[in-house]
Amino acid sequence: MNVDIRIERSVEVDAPFKKVAPLLDDLEGTIKRFPKLRKLTKLGNNAYLWEMSVIGSKVANIAHEVSYGAKYSIDAKRGELSWQPIADRGNATIEGRFKLLDEGDKTKLIFNVRGKLRDVPVPLMYRLLAPPFIQGKFTRLVDIFLESTRDAVLTPKKR
């Protein structure tokens, strides 16, 4: 079964844009905060293959190890990191953007993602429930990513 996902989430950081902007300079460090990311393989300049741990519920027999390739573009002036899928890499096509929005003494982190998960094993009796269930699982992962990214910006670095 193929499952479409579409997520838009945001979180506010109690820090000015200038303090948050280095997130765009550390592409791998920012990506690696994403929960359930098991392995990140560099495919080329700003291109990576994501391999994630199982997402879903083994009890309901809706569990999938998502993998996909993405090519990243950074527009530091606009405070934006965007990505496009790399064809024929993995079992999903995912595209999106991570935007830093300057709000004076605060910065809003905005995360948009959409894509398709292919060949998700779903028992027939759960076919109607699977898409919103999987969407919910991914939405929670995005929320955790945004929260941990916010916390990383606010936590002083040890020297």
Side-chain angles (χ1 to χ4, degrees):
M1 166 176 206
N2 293 337
V3 177
D4 292 324
I5 59 167
R6 180 178 291 276
I7 301 166
E8 182 173 332
R9 307 295 280 182
S10 64
V11 69
E12 204 169 72
V13 180
D14 287 324
F17 182 86
K18 193 174 186 176
K19 184 175 180 180
V20 180
L23 289 172
L24 300 177
D25 297 331
D26 183 14
L27 179 59
E28 278 191 38
T30 298
I31 290 171
K32 286 181 177 178
R33 278 192 201 90
F34 203 87
K36 297 268 187 178
L37 178 59
R38 183 174 43 80
K39 184 177 179 186
L40 187 66
T41 304
K42 191 169 182 92
L43 299 174
N45 189 32
N46 289 345
Y48 296 90
L49 175 67
W50 285 55
E51 295 175 74
M52 301 183 73
S53 298
V54 174
I55 298 168
S57 168
K58 289 184 180 181
V59 172
N61 206 20
I62 303 172
H64 197 43
E65 288 185 22
V66 175
S67 66
Y68 67 94
K71 173 80 173 150
Y72 292 82
S73 300
I74 300 166
D75 185 338
K77 267 186 154 177
R78 294 183 63 205
E80 188 171 295
L81 167 66
S82 60
W83 59 96
Q84 293 296 318
I86 298 173
D88 302 321
R89 288 292 188 153
N91 59 14
T93 50
I94 307 287
E95 66 180 282
R97 73 181 184 129
F98 178 59
K99 175 120 176 106
L100 313 179
L101 187 60
D102 188 347
E103 295 185 334
D105 60 343
K106 296 178 189 244
T107 305
K108 189 173 198 176
L109 306 181
I110 303 167
F111 190 96
N112 295 300
V113 67
R114 69 175 182 257
K116 181 180 294 288
L117 311 179
R118 294 185 302 275
D119 305 320
V120 180
V122 177
L124 189 59
M125 64 189 280
Y126 292 124
R127 293 275 166 134
L128 290 175
L129 300 173
F133 173 77
I134 292 167
Q135 172 87 17
K137 290 288 186 184
F138 270 92
T139 299
R140 182 64 190 135
L141 295 177
V142 169
D143 286 343
I144 292 168
F145 167 76
L146 288 171
E147 291 161 9
S148 66
T149 301
R150 176 195 60 210
D151 294 347
V153 169
L154 297 176
T155 304
K157 290 181 180 166
K158 296 178 183 172
R159 294 181 185 212

Coordinates of all heavy atoms in Angstrom, one line a residue, residues 14-72:
D14 N 13.0 31.0 21.6 CA 13.3 32.3 22.3 C 14.7 32.8 22.0 O 15.5 32.9 22.9 CB 13.0 32.2 23.8 CG 11.6 32.1 24.1 OD1 10.8 32.7 23.4 OD2 11.2 31.3 25.0
A15 N 15.0 33.0 20.8 CA 16.4 33.5 20.4 C 16.2 34.2 19.0 O 15.4 33.9 18.2 CB 17.3 32.3 20.2
P16 N 17.0 35.2 18.8 CA 17.0 36.0 17.6 C 17.5 35.1 16.4 O 18.2 34.2 16.6 CB 17.9 37.2 17.8 CG 18.8 36.8 18.9 CD 18.1 35.8 19.8
F17 N 17.1 35.5 15.2 CA 17.4 34.8 14.0 C 18.9 34.6 13.9 O 19.3 33.5 13.5 CB 16.9 35.7 12.8 CG 17.2 35.0 11.5 CD1 16.3 34.1 10.9 CD2 18.4 35.3 10.8 CE1 16.6 33.5 9.7 CE2 18.6 34.7 9.5 CZ 17.7 33.8 9.0
K18 N 19.7 35.6 14.2 CA 21.2 35.5 14.1 C 21.7 34.3 14.9 O 22.7 33.6 14.5 CB 21.8 36.8 14.6 CG 23.3 36.9 14.3 CD 23.7 38.3 14.7 CE 25.2 38.5 14.2 NZ 25.6 39.9 14.5
K19 N 21.1 34.0 16.1 CA 21.6 32.8 16.9 C 21.1 31.5 16.3 O 21.7 30.5 16.5 CB 21.1 33.0 18.3 CG 21.6 31.9 19.3 CD 21.2 32.2 20.7 CE 21.7 31.0 21.6 NZ 21.4 31.2 23.0
V20 N 20.0 31.5 15.6 CA 19.4 30.3 15.1 C 19.9 29.9 13.7 O 20.0 28.8 13.3 CB 17.8 30.4 15.1 CG1 17.2 29.2 14.5 CG2 17.3 30.7 16.5
A21 N 20.3 31.0 12.9 CA 20.8 30.8 11.6 C 21.9 29.7 11.4 O 21.9 29.0 10.3 CB 21.2 32.1 11.0
P22 N 22.8 29.5 12.3 CA 23.8 28.5 12.1 C 23.3 27.1 11.9 O 24.0 26.2 11.4 CB 24.7 28.5 13.4 CG 24.6 30.0 13.8 CD 23.1 30.3 13.5
L23 N 22.0 26.8 12.2 CA 21.4 25.5 11.9 C 21.5 25.2 10.4 O 21.7 24.1 10.0 CB 19.9 25.5 12.3 CG 19.6 25.5 13.7 CD1 18.1 25.7 13.9 CD2 20.0 24.2 14.4
L24 N 21.5 26.2 9.6 CA 21.6 26.0 8.1 C 23.0 25.7 7.7 O 23.2 25.1 6.6 CB 21.1 27.3 7.4 CG 19.6 27.7 7.7 CD1 19.3 29.0 6.9 CD2 18.7 26.6 7.3
D25 N 24.0 26.2 8.5 CA 25.4 25.9 8.1 C 25.8 24.4 8.4 O 26.7 23.9 7.9 CB 26.3 26.8 8.9 CG 26.1 28.3 8.5 OD1 25.7 28.5 7.4 OD2 26.3 29.1 9.4
D26 N 25.1 23.8 9.4 CA 25.4 22.5 9.8 C 24.3 21.5 9.3 O 23.5 21.0 10.1 CB 25.5 22.5 11.4 CG 25.9 21.1 11.9 OD1 26.3 20.2 11.1 OD2 25.8 20.9 13.1
L27 N 24.3 21.3 8.0 CA 23.3 20.5 7.4 C 23.2 19.1 8.1 O 22.1 18.7 8.5 CB 23.5 20.4 5.9 CG 22.5 19.5 5.1 CD1 21.1 20.0 5.3 CD2 22.9 19.5 3.7
E28 N 24.3 18.4 8.1 CA 24.3 17.0 8.7 C 23.9 17.0 10.2 O 23.1 16.2 10.6 CB 25.6 16.3 8.6 CG 25.8 15.7 7.2 CD 27.0 14.8 7.1 OE1 27.3 14.1 8.1 OE2 27.7 14.8 6.1
G29 N 24.4 18.0 10.9 CA 24.0 18.1 12.4 C 22.6 18.3 12.6 O 21.9 17.7 13.5
T30 N 22.0 19.2 11.7 CA 20.6 19.4 11.8 C 19.7 18.2 11.4 O 18.8 17.8 12.1 CB 20.2 20.7 10.9 OG1 20.9 21.8 11.4 CG2 18.7 21.0 11.0
I31 N 20.1 17.6 10.3 CA 19.4 16.4 9.9 C 19.4 15.3 10.9 O 18.4 14.6 11.2 CB 20.0 15.8 8.5 CG1 19.7 16.8 7.4 CG2 19.4 14.5 8.2 CD1 20.4 16.4 6.1
K32 N 20.6 15.1 11.5 CA 20.8 14.0 12.5 C 19.9 14.1 13.7 O 19.8 13.2 14.5 CB 22.2 13.8 12.8 CG 23.0 13.2 11.6 CD 24.5 13.0 12.0 CE 25.2 12.3 10.8 NZ 26.6 12.1 11.1
R33 N 19.3 15.3 13.9 CA 18.4 15.4 15.1 C 17.1 14.7 14.9 O 16.3 14.5 15.8 CB 18.2 16.9 15.4 CG 19.2 17.5 16.2 CD 18.8 18.9 16.7 NE 20.0 19.6 17.0 CZ 20.7 20.4 16.1 NH1 20.2 20.6 14.9 NH2 21.8 20.9 16.5
F34 N 16.8 14.3 13.6 CA 15.5 13.8 13.3 C 15.4 12.4 14.0 O 16.2 11.5 13.8 CB 15.3 13.6 11.8 CG 13.8 13.6 11.4 CD1 13.1 14.7 11.2 CD2 13.2 12.4 11.3 CE1 11.8 14.7 10.9 CE2 11.8 12.3 11.0 CZ 11.1 13.5 10.8
P35 N 14.3 12.2 14.8 CA 14.2 10.9 15.5 C 14.0 9.8 14.5 O 13.4 9.9 13.4 CB 13.0 11.1 16.4 CG 12.2 12.3 15.8 CD 13.2 13.1 15.0
K36 N 14.4 8.6 14.9 CA 14.2 7.4 14.2 C 15.2 7.3 13.0 O 15.1 6.4 12.2 CB 12.8 7.1 13.7 CG 11.8 6.9 14.8 CD 11.7 5.5 15.1 CE 10.5 5.3 16.1 NZ 10.4 3.8 16.4
L37 N 16.0 8.3 12.8 CA 17.0 8.2 11.7 C 18.1 7.2 12.2 O 18.8 7.5 13.1 CB 17.7 9.6 11.5 CG 18.7 9.7 10.4 CD1 18.2 9.2 9.1 CD2 19.3 11.0 10.3
R38 N 18.2 6.1 11.5 CA 19.1 5.1 11.8 C 20.5 5.3 11.2 O 21.5 5.1 11.8 CB 18.5 3.7 11.5 CG 19.4 2.5 11.8 CD 18.6 1.2 11.6 NE 17.9 1.1 10.3 CZ 18.5 0.8 9.1 NH1 19.8 0.6 9.0 NH2 17.7 0.7 8.0
K39 N 20.4 5.7 9.9 CA 21.7 5.8 9.1 C 21.5 6.9 8.1 O 20.5 7.0 7.4 CB 22.0 4.5 8.5 CG 23.3 4.5 7.7 CD 23.6 3.1 7.2 CE 24.9 3.1 6.4 NZ 25.1 1.8 5.7
L40 N 22.5 7.8 8.0 CA 22.5 8.9 7.0 C 23.8 8.7 6.1 O 24.9 8.7 6.6 CB 22.5 10.2 7.7 CG 22.4 11.4 6.8 CD1 21.0 11.5 6.2 CD2 22.6 12.7 7.6
T41 N 23.6 8.4 4.8 CA 24.7 8.1 3.9 C 24.8 9.3 2.9 O 23.8 9.6 2.2 CB 24.4 6.8 3.2 OG1 24.2 5.8 4.1 CG2 25.6 6.5 2.3
K42 N 26.0 9.9 2.8 CA 26.2 10.9 1.9 C 26.3 10.4 0.5 O 27.0 9.4 0.2 CB 27.5 11.7 2.3 CG 27.7 13.0 1.5 CD 28.9 13.7 2.1 CE 29.0 15.1 1.4 NZ 28.3 16.2 2.0
L43 N 25.5 10.9 -0.4 CA 25.4 10.5 -1.8 C 26.2 11.4 -2.7 O 26.5 11.1 -3.9 CB 24.0 10.4 -2.3 CG 23.1 9.4 -1.6 CD1 21.7 9.5 -2.1 CD2 23.6 8.0 -1.7
G44 N 26.5 12.6 -2.3 CA 27.1 13.6 -3.1 C 27.0 14.9 -2.3 O 26.7 15.0 -1.2
N45 N 27.3 16.0 -3.0 CA 27.2 17.3 -2.4 C 25.8 17.7 -2.0 O 24.9 17.8 -2.8 CB 27.7 18.4 -3.4 CG 27.9 19.7 -2.8 OD1 28.2 19.8 -1.6 ND2 27.7 20.8 -3.6
N46 N 25.6 17.8 -0.7 CA 24.3 18.1 -0.1 C 23.2 17.1 -0.5 O 22.0 17.4 -0.6 CB 23.8 19.5 -0.4 CG 24.6 20.5 0.3 OD1 25.3 20.2 1.3 ND2 24.5 21.8 -0.1
A47 N 23.6 15.8 -0.8 CA 22.6 14.8 -1.1 C 22.9 13.6 -0.1 O 24.0 13.2 0.1 CB 22.8 14.3 -2.5
Y48 N 21.8 13.1 0.4 CA 21.9 12.0 1.4 C 20.8 10.9 1.2 O 19.7 11.2 0.7 CB 21.7 12.6 2.8 CG 22.8 13.6 3.2 CD1 22.6 14.9 2.9 CD2 23.9 13.1 3.8 CE1 23.6 15.8 3.2 CE2 24.9 14.0 4.2 CZ 24.8 15.3 3.9 OH 25.8 16.2 4.2
L49 N 21.1 9.7 1.6 CA 20.2 8.6 1.7 C 19.8 8.5 3.2 O 20.7 8.3 4.0 CB 20.8 7.3 1.2 CG 19.9 6.1 1.3 CD1 18.6 6.2 0.5 CD2 20.6 4.8 1.0
W50 N 18.6 8.6 3.5 CA 18.0 8.4 4.8 C 17.6 7.0 5.0 O 16.9 6.5 4.1 CB 16.8 9.3 5.1 CG 17.0 10.7 5.3 CD1 17.6 11.6 4.4 CD2 16.4 11.5 6.3 NE1 17.5 12.9 4.9 CE2 16.8 12.8 6.1 CE3 15.7 11.2 7.5 CZ2 16.4 13.9 7.0 CZ3 15.3 12.2 8.3 CH2 15.7 13.5 8.1
E51 N 18.0 6.4 6.1 CA 17.5 5.0 6.4 C 16.9 5.2 7.9 O 17.7 5.5 8.8 CB 18.5 4.0 6.3 CG 19.0 3.8 4.9 CD 20.2 2.8 4.8 OE1 19.9 1.6 4.9 OE2 21.3 3.3 4.5
M52 N 15.7 4.9 8.0 CA 15.0 5.1 9.3 C 14.7 3.8 10.0 O 14.6 2.8 9.3 CB 13.8 5.9 9.1 CG 14.1 7.3 8.5 SD 12.6 8.4 8.4 CE 12.4 8.8 10.1
S53 N 14.6 3.8 11.3 CA 14.2 2.7 12.1 C 12.7 2.4 11.8 O 12.0 3.3 11.2 CB 14.4 2.9 13.6 OG 15.8 3.1 13.8
V54 N 12.2 1.3 12.3 CA 10.8 1.0 12.0 C 9.9 2.1 12.6 O 10.1 2.5 13.7 CB 10.5 -0.4 12.7 CG1 9.0 -0.7 12.6 CG2 11.3 -1.5 12.0
I55 N 8.9 2.5 11.8 CA 7.9 3.4 12.2 C 6.6 2.8 12.1 O 6.3 2.1 11.1 CB 8.0 4.7 11.3 CG1 9.3 5.4 11.4 CG2 6.8 5.7 11.6 CD1 9.6 6.4 10.4
G56 N 5.8 2.9 13.1 CA 4.5 2.3 13.1 C 4.2 1.5 14.4 O 4.7 1.8 15.4
S57 N 3.4 0.4 14.2 CA 3.1 -0.5 15.3 C 3.2 -1.9 14.9 O 2.5 -2.4 14.0 CB 1.6 -0.2 15.7 OG 1.2 -1.2 16.6
K58 N 4.1 -2.6 15.6 CA 4.3 -4.0 15.3 C 3.1 -4.8 15.7 O 2.7 -5.8 15.1 CB 5.6 -4.6 15.9 CG 6.8 -4.1 15.2 CD 8.1 -4.7 15.8 CE 9.3 -4.1 15.1 NZ 10.5 -4.6 15.6
V59 N 2.4 -4.3 16.8 CA 1.2 -5.0 17.3 C 0.1 -5.0 16.2 O -0.6 -6.0 16.0 CB 0.7 -4.3 18.6 CG1 -0.7 -4.9 19.0 CG2 1.7 -4.5 19.7
A60 N -0.1 -3.8 15.6 CA -1.1 -3.7 14.5 C -0.6 -4.2 13.2 O -1.3 -4.2 12.2 CB -1.6 -2.3 14.4
N61 N 0.6 -4.7 13.1 CA 1.3 -5.1 11.9 C 1.3 -4.0 10.8 O 1.2 -4.3 9.7 CB 0.6 -6.4 11.4 CG 1.5 -7.2 10.6 OD1 2.8 -7.1 10.7 ND2 1.0 -8.1 9.8
I62 N 1.5 -2.8 11.3 CA 1.7 -1.7 10.4 C 3.0 -1.1 10.8 O 3.1 -0.2 11.7 CB 0.6 -0.6 10.5 CG1 -0.8 -1.2 10.3 CG2 0.8 0.6 9.5 CD1 -2.0 -0.2 10.6
A63 N 4.1 -1.6 10.2 CA 5.4 -1.1 10.5 C 6.2 -1.0 9.2 O 6.1 -1.9 8.4 CB 6.0 -2.0 11.5
H64 N 7.0 0.0 9.1 CA 7.7 0.3 7.9 C 9.1 0.9 8.1 O 9.1 1.8 9.0 CB 6.9 1.2 7.0 CG 7.2 1.2 5.5 ND1 7.5 0.1 4.8 CD2 7.3 2.2 4.7 CE1 7.8 0.4 3.6 NE2 7.7 1.7 3.4
E65 N 10.1 0.4 7.5 CA 11.4 1.0 7.6 C 11.6 1.9 6.3 O 11.8 1.5 5.2 CB 12.5 0.0 7.6 CG 12.6 -0.8 8.9 CD 13.8 -1.7 8.9 OE1 14.8 -1.5 8.2 OE2 13.7 -2.6 9.8
V66 N 11.4 3.2 6.5 CA 11.4 4.2 5.4 C 12.8 4.5 5.1 O 13.7 4.7 5.9 CB 10.6 5.5 5.9 CG1 10.7 6.5 4.8 CG2 9.2 5.2 6.2
S67 N 13.1 4.6 3.8 CA 14.4 5.1 3.3 C 14.1 5.9 2.0 O 13.2 5.6 1.3 CB 15.3 3.9 2.9 OG 14.8 3.1 1.9
Y68 N 14.9 7.0 1.9 CA 14.7 7.8 0.7 C 16.0 8.7 0.5 O 16.7 8.9 1.4 CB 13.5 8.7 0.8 CG 13.5 9.8 1.9 CD1 14.0 11.1 1.6 CD2 13.2 9.5 3.2 CE1 14.0 12.0 2.6 CE2 13.3 10.4 4.2 CZ 13.7 11.7 3.9 OH 13.8 12.7 4.9
G69 N 16.1 9.1 -0.7 CA 17.2 10.0 -1.0 C 16.7 11.4 -1.2 O 15.6 11.6 -1.7
A70 N 17.5 12.4 -0.8 CA 17.1 13.8 -0.9 C 18.3 14.7 -1.2 O 19.4 14.4 -0.7 CB 16.4 14.3 0.3
K71 N 18.1 15.6 -2.1 CA 19.1 16.6 -2.4 C 18.7 18.0 -1.8 O 17.6 18.4 -2.0 CB 19.2 16.8 -4.0 CG 20.1 17.9 -4.4 CD 21.5 17.5 -4.4 CE 22.3 18.6 -5.1 NZ 23.7 18.7 -4.6
Y72 N 19.6 18.5 -1.0 CA 19.3 19.7 -0.2 C 19.8 21.0 -0.8 O 20.9 21.0 -1.4 CB 19.9 19.5 1.2 CG 19.2 18.5 2.0 CD1 19.6 17.1 1.8 CD2 18.2 18.8 2.9 CE1 18.9 16.1 2.5 CE2 17.5 17.8 3.6 CZ 17.9 16.4 3.4 OH 17.3 15.5 4.1

